[in-house]
């Protein structure tokens, strides 16, 4: 079996995507459900769950070392941006915003690699 050699930049992006997946899913199903109010509005929760899933998918695509990672990373960056916008004005969502910003920036860089 031949392994694909991944660049340090791509490995870093994979880790940021994995971290964003963990943070978004954990906060959506923990913090937001406990907080209630605007935190549990359907559009907000859907955005967070979709962000988590897209981040995990982007990481998985990058792991394969295949060309479509550019398109997947572009989508991931867009979805992270939507999650940032959804979380930014809510209480105690800084961890999610930070994870999404780092993932978005890294994914944007991956679109050119």
């Amino acid at each position: 079996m031949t392994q694909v050699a991944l660049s340090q930049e791509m490995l870093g992006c994979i880790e940021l995507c994995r971290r964003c997946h963990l943070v978004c899913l954990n906060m959506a199903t923990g913090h937001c459900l406990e907080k209630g109010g605007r935190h549990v509005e359907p559009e907000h929760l859907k955005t967070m769950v979709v962000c988590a899933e897209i981040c995990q998918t982007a990481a998985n695509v990058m792991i394969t070392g295949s060309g479509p990672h550019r398109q997947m990373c572009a989508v991931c960056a867009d979805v992270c941006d939507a999650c940032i916008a959804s979380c930014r004005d809510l209480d105690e969502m800084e961890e999610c915003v930070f994870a999404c910003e780092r993932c978005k920036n890294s994914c944007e860089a991956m679109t050119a690699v």
Side-chain angles (χ1 to χ4, degrees):
M1 182 166 94
T2 304
Q3 281 189 324
V4 177
L6 302 174
S7 69
Q8 288 297 349
E9 186 178 29
M10 190 170 288
L11 288 171
C13 189
I14 290 166
E15 287 308 311
L16 290 172
C17 286
R18 286 179 169 171
R19 175 74 182 152
C20 195
H21 167 256
L22 183 142
V23 169
C24 287
L25 192 56
N26 183 265
M27 289 195 79
T29 60
H31 172 76
C32 289
L33 290 178
E34 291 172 12
K35 200 79 167 142
R38 290 177 48 216
H39 287 265
V40 293
E41 288 179 359
E43 198 58 37
H44 173 69
L45 285 179
K46 288 177 189 177
T47 299
M48 290 187 73
V49 170
V50 167
C51 186
E53 292 303 314
I54 292 295
C55 289
Q56 180 163 334
T57 300
N60 291 345
V61 171
M62 283 185 279
I63 289 168
T64 69
S66 62
H69 80 269
R70 290 175 188 85
Q71 293 89 341
M72 192 68 238
C73 285
V75 170
C76 187
D78 288 345
V79 173
C80 281
D81 199 42
C83 196
I84 291 166
S86 185
C87 293
R88 184 167 274 138
D89 295 330
L90 296 177
D91 296 340
E92 301 168 11
M93 296 298 292
E94 296 83 8
E95 184 180 4
C96 190
V97 170
F98 181 70
C100 286
E101 285 174 340
R102 292 184 70 205
C103 183
K104 174 190 169 192
N105 292 338
S106 187
C107 278
E108 284 174 344
M110 283 292 102
T111 63
V113 176

